[in-house]
């Protein structure tokens, strides 16, 4: 079994749990800004042409898919890093600073004609993705390096997602009223972006100086490119988890990315997007807060089943609801409480795949394995954003001078893409998990015991890599 906690290890766990989790606040603010509102900025603020939005959508898709593949490479670079600060902190620092600059450039009016702007936008977006990867891979790979205990990992993951949710929905709730108060122009959006970036950098400082990484595993040989392929393809549980998560994230991002358009063109009151976002934020926070309570009584599989059922019920209610915030708000509550449970479960499924890969393949490639999480998020966000960009063009939303210019057929197209396609993808991901994922609590405990017997896990969890 994993080493029994001592008072010193408990104190270290508490410190790491909070210092790690605080860092997610600003990171998710930036990620929400780019993944949910970049297309909105282009179409609604810059008033870009249909051709620009069309090409920008495809460029975002291509850049994110390329960047997603680079996540795996970045994972091997992180695993191969040897420094006095460990594997993760040097890359977290460089990635945070570089992605901050690129985020500011994305929300800057460059004043170029369409063709030149498309080229400049493509380069900036590609750089943003690569620099974000420099931060994202080592940041999340740090989580499973903090403890081997499944319950502790769930507690870290739940708290991290609470801070991430606060960050995400702070942007959702604030972006329209704040940018409107600042003038509702490109300058207003740049100032909002600058504030978000500043919060991200402050949170990263908390993680960098607050986290003390314990020594959990014996140092592994550096991974080669040939070995990298084996790490990814040889871990069957990792691959099935990744497929299930991509389907879930594509559905989730597609729904959330349509939010502004739904309230402006279907609900016909864009101002209601802000209180609706607040309701969703409360729902998601509630889910993360109560997850540990439910986890004490129910297995992961039972919780995943319940969460998926809750989300499907929310989609059905949303689709058939009248344009009334009571009904739409109730649907949102169901959707985002269920979503919060799935997000935490997916996170801990991935962390357990690290020990599984270590046990099966002989090497502990934590960053490479956990690189699948941002890979999944980026592929899901890329597909979701592309669905939105295609639909807003084909439905006539982007070219509509007013909300009255969008036809009933165009609105139906948006509603189908927002509320029918996503639950199909989410259920497909759940079915794959049920059929293929097999690392339950008993199997995980057996894996940790065998790794300890092999001498590949250390017993002294109280020491810190920062003390080297």
């Amino acid at each position: 079994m994993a080493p029994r906690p001592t008072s010193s290890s408990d104190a270290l766990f508490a410190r790491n749990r909070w210092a790690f989790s605080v860092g997610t606040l600003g990171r998710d603010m930036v990620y929400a800004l780019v993944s949910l509102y970049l297309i909105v900025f282009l179409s609604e603020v810059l008033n870009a042409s249909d051709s620009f939005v069309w090409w920008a959508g495809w460029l975002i898709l291509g850049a994110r898919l390329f960047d997603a593949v680079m996540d795996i490479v970045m994972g091997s670079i992180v695993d191969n890093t040897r420094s006095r600060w460990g594997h993760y902190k040097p890359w977290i620092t460089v990635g945070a600073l570089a992605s901050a600059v690129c985020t500011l450039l994305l929300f800057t009016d460059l004043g170029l004609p369409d063709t030149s702007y498309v080229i400049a936008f493509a380069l900036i977006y590609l750089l943003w993705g690569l620099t974000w990867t420099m931060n994202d891979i080592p940041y999340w790979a740090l989580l499973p390096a903090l403890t081997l205990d499944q319950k502790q990992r769930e507690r870290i993951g739940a708290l991290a997602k609470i801070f991430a949710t606060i960050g995400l929905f702070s942007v959702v709730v604030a972006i329209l009223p704040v940018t409107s108060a600042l003038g509702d122009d490109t300058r207003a959006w740049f100032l909002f972006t600058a504030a978000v970036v500043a919060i991200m950098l402050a949170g990263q400082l908390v993680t960098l100086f607050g986290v003390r990484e314990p020594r959990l595993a014996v140092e592994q040989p550096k991974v080669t490119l040939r070995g990298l392929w084996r790490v990814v393809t040889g871990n069957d549980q990792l691959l099935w988890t990744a497929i299930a998560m991509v389907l879930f994230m594509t559905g989730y991002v597609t729904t959330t990315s349509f939010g502004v358009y739904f309230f402006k063109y279907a609900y016909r009151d864009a101002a209601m997007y802000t209180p609706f976002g607040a309701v969703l934020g409360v729902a998601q926070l509630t889910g993360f807060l109560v997850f540990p309570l439910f986890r004490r009584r129910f297995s992961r599989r039972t919780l995943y089943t319940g969460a998926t059922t809750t989300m499907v019920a929310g989609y059905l209610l949303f689709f058939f609801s009248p344009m009334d915030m009571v009904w739409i708000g109730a649907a949102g509550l169901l959707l985002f409480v269920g979503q919060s449970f799935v997000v935490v479960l997916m996170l801990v499924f991935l962390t357990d795949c690290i020990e599984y890969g270590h046990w099966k393949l002989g090497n502990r490639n934590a960053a490479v394995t956990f690189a699948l999480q941002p890979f999944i998020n980026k592929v899901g966000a890329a597909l979701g954003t592309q669905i939105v960009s295609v639909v807003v063009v084909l439905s006539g939303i982007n070219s509509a001078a007013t909300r009255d210019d969008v036809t009933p057929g165009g609105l139906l197209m948006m509603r189908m893409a927002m509320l029918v396609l996503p639950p199909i993808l989410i259920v497909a991901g759940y079915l794959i998990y049920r059929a293929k994922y097999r690392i339950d609590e008993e199997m995980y405990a057996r894996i940790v015991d065998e790794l300890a017997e092999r001498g590949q896990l250390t017993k002294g969890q109280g020491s810190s890599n920062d003390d080297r």
Side-chain angles (χ1 to χ4, degrees):
M1 297 294 290
R4 187 173 183 175
T6 64
S7 58
S8 61
S9 65
D10 285 344
L12 179 62
F13 167 73
R15 172 187 176 130
N16 285 344
R17 179 178 177 232
W18 284 95
F20 177 84
S21 299
V22 167
T24 64
L25 177 73
R27 290 184 78 260
D28 270 63
M29 292 179 75
V30 169
Y31 193 76
L33 184 64
V34 175
S35 63
L36 298 181
Y37 298 105
L38 185 55
I39 289 293
V40 175
F41 174 73
L42 296 175
S43 64
E44 301 292 310
V45 181
L46 287 182
N47 294 316
S49 64
D50 277 356
S51 62
F52 181 89
V53 173
W54 178 268
W55 283 110
W58 285 107
L59 288 169
I60 289 173
L61 175 63
R64 281 182 170 167
L65 292 178
F66 171 77
D67 186 40
V69 174
M70 292 303 296
D71 285 346
I72 312 299
V73 177
M74 188 68 210
S76 69
I77 293 173
V78 172
D79 276 335
N80 288 338
T81 296
R82 304 288 187 269
S83 79
R84 58 175 296 190
W85 302 282
H87 295 281
Y88 312 110
K89 289 186 178 181
W91 291 108
I92 291 173
T93 303
V94 173
L97 293 171
S99 63
V101 174
C102 292
T103 302
L104 291 171
L105 290 175
L106 280 177
F107 289 88
T108 300
D109 184 0
L110 301 178
L112 299 172
D114 269 11
T115 302
S116 300
Y117 207 150
V118 167
I119 295 172
F121 174 83
L123 291 174
I124 295 170
Y125 190 84
L126 181 60
L127 282 173
W128 179 85
L130 293 174
T131 56
W132 184 261
T133 294
M134 290 182 190
N135 175 269
D136 203 36
I137 299 299
Y139 189 87
W140 286 107
L142 182 58
L143 189 157
L146 300 180
T147 178
L148 293 173
D149 187 275
Q150 282 186 310
K151 292 284 198 300
Q152 288 188 340
R153 285 180 174 181
E154 290 168 2
R155 291 178 64 195
I156 296 174
L159 185 62
K161 290 302 180 181
I162 287 172
F163 277 97
T165 299
I166 293 172
L168 189 157
F169 283 98
S170 294
V171 171
V172 170
V173 170
I175 189 165
L176 293 185
V178 171
T179 53
S180 178
L182 292 172
D184 201 21
D185 55 12
T186 55
R187 175 182 170 276
W189 278 69
F190 179 82
L191 291 174
F192 185 88
T193 302
V196 167
V197 164
I199 295 171
M200 178 192 74
L201 294 176
Q204 292 296 278
L205 287 174
V206 172
T207 298
L208 289 168
F209 288 100
V211 168
R212 294 290 181 266
E213 181 191 343
R215 293 189 183 96
L216 302 181
V218 176
E219 195 67 67
Q220 300 292 303
K222 292 188 176 183
V223 63
T224 63
L225 287 178
R226 184 177 181 179
L228 173 62
W229 177 254
R230 181 171 177 264
V231 169
V232 176
T233 60
N235 191 329
D236 58 296
Q237 295 297 283
L238 180 64
L239 290 177
W240 288 119
T241 301
I243 294 171
M245 287 181 69
V246 165
L247 291 168
F248 172 81
M249 285 303 300
T250 302
Y252 168 67
V253 172
T254 299
T255 297
T256 54
S257 296
F258 272 114
V260 172
Y261 298 106
F262 176 84
F263 280 95
K264 182 175 181 179
Y265 295 99
Y267 194 84
R268 301 175 70 80
D269 185 358
M272 291 305 296
Y273 176 74
T274 296
F276 181 71
V279 170
L280 300 188
V282 170
Q284 199 169 65
L285 280 173
T286 300
F288 290 137
L289 286 168
V290 302
F291 177 86
L293 302 178
F294 278 81
R295 183 64 183 91
R296 291 172 190 169
R297 301 191 60 183
F298 302 102
S299 69
R300 291 177 175 180
R301 175 169 287 201
T302 300
L303 291 179
Y304 196 176
T305 302
T308 302
T309 303
T310 300
M311 292 189 73
V312 170
Y315 273 111
L316 288 171
L317 180 59
F318 204 140
F319 187 82
F320 292 106
S321 289
M323 291 301 160
D324 185 313
M325 274 301 295
V326 173
W327 292 98
I328 293 175
L333 286 171
L334 291 173
L335 281 175
F336 279 77
V337 169
Q339 183 269 347
S340 65
F341 274 49
V342 176
V343 165
V344 176
L345 289 168
M346 289 292 191
L347 184 64
V348 294
F349 291 159
L350 272 181
T351 62
D352 291 351
C353 287
I354 292 173
E355 279 72 45
Y356 177 82
H358 194 179
W359 171 73
K360 181 178 181 181
L361 303 175
N363 287 317
R364 182 183 179 83
N365 301 108
V368 172
T369 304
F370 221 70
L372 265 291
Q373 195 220 11
F375 172 90
I376 289 155
N377 290 340
K378 288 171 185 175
V379 172
L383 295 174
T385 300
Q386 181 60 8
I387 291 169
V388 173
S389 64
V390 169
V391 169
V392 298
V393 171
L394 295 181
S395 65
I397 288 175
N398 185 66
S399 59
T402 69
R403 62 191 181 193
D404 295 324
D405 295 322
V406 181
T407 66
L411 291 176
L412 178 61
M413 181 185 296
M414 179 185 69
R415 286 169 58 83
M416 294 291 289
M418 178 182 180
L419 301 172
V420 175
L421 176 61
I424 293 174
L425 297 174
I426 288 168
V427 170
Y430 166 76
L431 293 175
I432 288 173
Y433 157 78
R434 286 298 300 260
K436 297 296 183 179
Y437 191 81
R438 57 190 179 88
I439 309 176
D440 57 17
E441 288 85 346
E442 291 76 17
M443 182 178 184
Y444 181 81
R446 187 170 68 253
I447 287 171
V448 171
D449 282 346
E450 291 188 21
L451 287 173
E453 290 172 4
R454 295 178 193 172
Q456 292 177 304
L457 293 179
T458 63
K459 295 290 186 181
Q461 295 194 45
S463 59
S464 168
N465 285 335
D466 295 281
D467 298 329
R468 285 178 294 189

PDB file of all heavy atoms in Angstrom, residues 252-263:
ATOM      1  N   TYR A 252     -18.963  19.481 -24.498  1.00  0.00           N
ATOM      2  CA  TYR A 252     -19.022  20.539 -23.485  1.00  0.00           C
ATOM      3  C   TYR A 252     -18.640  21.901 -24.059  1.00  0.00           C
ATOM      4  O   TYR A 252     -19.338  22.898 -23.874  1.00  0.00           O
ATOM      5  CB  TYR A 252     -18.105  20.159 -22.324  1.00  0.00           C
ATOM      6  CG  TYR A 252     -17.844  21.280 -21.345  1.00  0.00           C
ATOM      7  CD1 TYR A 252     -18.863  21.789 -20.538  1.00  0.00           C
ATOM      8  CD2 TYR A 252     -16.567  21.829 -21.213  1.00  0.00           C
ATOM      9  CE1 TYR A 252     -18.620  22.803 -19.632  1.00  0.00           C
ATOM     10  CE2 TYR A 252     -16.320  22.848 -20.311  1.00  0.00           C
ATOM     11  CZ  TYR A 252     -17.344  23.340 -19.531  1.00  0.00           C
ATOM     12  OH  TYR A 252     -17.102  24.350 -18.647  1.00  0.00           O
ATOM     13  N   VAL A 253     -17.512  21.950 -24.774  1.00  0.00           N
ATOM     14  CA  VAL A 253     -17.043  23.226 -25.333  1.00  0.00           C
ATOM     15  C   VAL A 253     -18.000  23.748 -26.396  1.00  0.00           C
ATOM     16  O   VAL A 253     -18.234  24.962 -26.495  1.00  0.00           O
ATOM     17  CB  VAL A 253     -15.617  23.070 -25.905  1.00  0.00           C
ATOM     18  CG1 VAL A 253     -15.187  24.339 -26.668  1.00  0.00           C
ATOM     19  CG2 VAL A 253     -14.621  22.784 -24.789  1.00  0.00           C
ATOM     20  N   THR A 254     -18.574  22.860 -27.193  1.00  0.00           N
ATOM     21  CA  THR A 254     -19.532  23.291 -28.211  1.00  0.00           C
ATOM     22  C   THR A 254     -20.717  24.006 -27.564  1.00  0.00           C
ATOM     23  O   THR A 254     -21.125  25.090 -28.000  1.00  0.00           O
ATOM     24  CB  THR A 254     -20.027  22.087 -29.031  1.00  0.00           C
ATOM     25  OG1 THR A 254     -18.914  21.469 -29.695  1.00  0.00           O
ATOM     26  CG2 THR A 254     -21.047  22.521 -30.071  1.00  0.00           C
ATOM     27  N   THR A 255     -21.259  23.419 -26.515  1.00  0.00           N
ATOM     28  CA  THR A 255     -22.401  24.037 -25.839  1.00  0.00           C
ATOM     29  C   THR A 255     -22.040  25.387 -25.244  1.00  0.00           C
ATOM     30  O   THR A 255     -22.741  26.391 -25.454  1.00  0.00           O
ATOM     31  CB  THR A 255     -22.925  23.110 -24.727  1.00  0.00           C
ATOM     32  OG1 THR A 255     -23.404  21.901 -25.326  1.00  0.00           O
ATOM     33  CG2 THR A 255     -24.068  23.770 -23.962  1.00  0.00           C
ATOM     34  N   THR A 256     -20.955  25.447 -24.491  1.00  0.00           N
ATOM     35  CA  THR A 256     -20.595  26.699 -23.819  1.00  0.00           C
ATOM     36  C   THR A 256     -20.196  27.785 -24.807  1.00  0.00           C
ATOM     37  O   THR A 256     -20.454  28.966 -24.564  1.00  0.00           O
ATOM     38  CB  THR A 256     -19.441  26.467 -22.823  1.00  0.00           C
ATOM     39  OG1 THR A 256     -18.339  25.845 -23.497  1.00  0.00           O
ATOM     40  CG2 THR A 256     -19.892  25.573 -21.678  1.00  0.00           C
ATOM     41  N   SER A 257     -19.590  27.416 -25.930  1.00  0.00           N
ATOM     42  CA  SER A 257     -19.144  28.424 -26.902  1.00  0.00           C
ATOM     43  C   SER A 257     -20.308  29.096 -27.626  1.00  0.00           C
ATOM     44  O   SER A 257     -20.152  30.173 -28.193  1.00  0.00           O
ATOM     45  CB  SER A 257     -18.202  27.783 -27.931  1.00  0.00           C
ATOM     46  OG  SER A 257     -17.023  27.316 -27.300  1.00  0.00           O
ATOM     47  N   PHE A 258     -21.469  28.460 -27.628  1.00  0.00           N
ATOM     48  CA  PHE A 258     -22.645  29.056 -28.260  1.00  0.00           C
ATOM     49  C   PHE A 258     -23.390  30.017 -27.318  1.00  0.00           C
ATOM     50  O   PHE A 258     -24.369  30.635 -27.729  1.00  0.00           O
ATOM     51  CB  PHE A 258     -23.624  27.962 -28.710  1.00  0.00           C
ATOM     52  CG  PHE A 258     -23.362  27.433 -30.087  1.00  0.00           C
ATOM     53  CD1 PHE A 258     -22.966  26.118 -30.269  1.00  0.00           C
ATOM     54  CD2 PHE A 258     -23.514  28.252 -31.203  1.00  0.00           C
ATOM     55  CE1 PHE A 258     -22.737  25.620 -31.547  1.00  0.00           C
ATOM     56  CE2 PHE A 258     -23.275  27.767 -32.483  1.00  0.00           C
ATOM     57  CZ  PHE A 258     -22.882  26.444 -32.656  1.00  0.00           C
ATOM     58  N   GLY A 259     -22.945  30.146 -26.075  1.00  0.00           N
ATOM     59  CA  GLY A 259     -23.702  30.896 -25.078  1.00  0.00           C
ATOM     60  C   GLY A 259     -24.062  32.306 -25.480  1.00  0.00           C
ATOM     61  O   GLY A 259     -25.234  32.720 -25.431  1.00  0.00           O
ATOM     62  N   VAL A 260     -23.068  33.092 -25.885  1.00  0.00           N
ATOM     63  CA  VAL A 260     -23.321  34.496 -26.265  1.00  0.00           C
ATOM     64  C   VAL A 260     -24.298  34.563 -27.431  1.00  0.00           C
ATOM     65  O   VAL A 260     -25.243  35.374 -27.430  1.00  0.00           O
ATOM     66  CB  VAL A 260     -22.000  35.199 -26.621  1.00  0.00           C
ATOM     67  CG1 VAL A 260     -22.277  36.587 -27.210  1.00  0.00           C
ATOM     68  CG2 VAL A 260     -21.117  35.327 -25.388  1.00  0.00           C
ATOM     69  N   TYR A 261     -24.107  33.715 -28.434  1.00  0.00           N
ATOM     70  CA  TYR A 261     -24.967  33.719 -29.613  1.00  0.00           C
ATOM     71  C   TYR A 261     -26.400  33.310 -29.245  1.00  0.00           C
ATOM     72  O   TYR A 261     -27.372  33.877 -29.768  1.00  0.00           O
ATOM     73  CB  TYR A 261     -24.419  32.772 -30.683  1.00  0.00           C
ATOM     74  CG  TYR A 261     -23.051  33.168 -31.179  1.00  0.00           C
ATOM     75  CD1 TYR A 261     -21.921  32.449 -30.788  1.00  0.00           C
ATOM     76  CD2 TYR A 261     -22.876  34.251 -32.031  1.00  0.00           C
ATOM     77  CE1 TYR A 261     -20.655  32.799 -31.239  1.00  0.00           C
ATOM     78  CE2 TYR A 261     -21.624  34.604 -32.488  1.00  0.00           C
ATOM     79  CZ  TYR A 261     -20.516  33.873 -32.089  1.00  0.00           C
ATOM     80  OH  TYR A 261     -19.261  34.242 -32.527  1.00  0.00           O
ATOM     81  N   PHE A 262     -26.541  32.328 -28.359  1.00  0.00           N
ATOM     82  CA  PHE A 262     -27.872  31.876 -27.970  1.00  0.00           C
ATOM     83  C   PHE A 262     -28.665  33.011 -27.337  1.00  0.00           C
ATOM     84  O   PHE A 262     -29.827  33.264 -27.695  1.00  0.00           O
ATOM     85  CB  PHE A 262     -27.787  30.691 -27.002  1.00  0.00           C
ATOM     86  CG  PHE A 262     -29.124  30.242 -26.484  1.00  0.00           C
ATOM     87  CD1 PHE A 262     -29.908  29.365 -27.205  1.00  0.00           C
ATOM     88  CD2 PHE A 262     -29.607  30.719 -25.262  1.00  0.00           C
ATOM     89  CE1 PHE A 262     -31.151  28.971 -26.738  1.00  0.00           C
ATOM     90  CE2 PHE A 262     -30.847  30.329 -24.781  1.00  0.00           C
ATOM     91  CZ  PHE A 262     -31.622  29.445 -25.521  1.00  0.00           C
ATOM     92  N   PHE A 263     -28.063  33.699 -26.385  1.00  0.00           N
ATOM     93  CA  PHE A 263     -28.811  34.740 -25.674  1.00  0.00           C
ATOM     94  C   PHE A 263     -29.028  35.985 -26.537  1.00  0.00           C
ATOM     95  O   PHE A 263     -30.032  36.682 -26.367  1.00  0.00           O
ATOM     96  CB  PHE A 263     -28.112  35.098 -24.366  1.00  0.00           C
ATOM     97  CG  PHE A 263     -28.405  34.121 -23.274  1.00  0.00           C
ATOM     98  CD1 PHE A 263     -27.545  33.068 -23.010  1.00  0.00           C
ATOM     99  CD2 PHE A 263     -29.565  34.233 -22.532  1.00  0.00           C
ATOM    100  CE1 PHE A 263     -27.835  32.148 -22.027  1.00  0.00           C
ATOM    101  CE2 PHE A 263     -29.871  33.322 -21.539  1.00  0.00           C
ATOM    102  CZ  PHE A 263     -29.004  32.267 -21.291  1.00  0.00           C
TER     103      PHE A 263
END
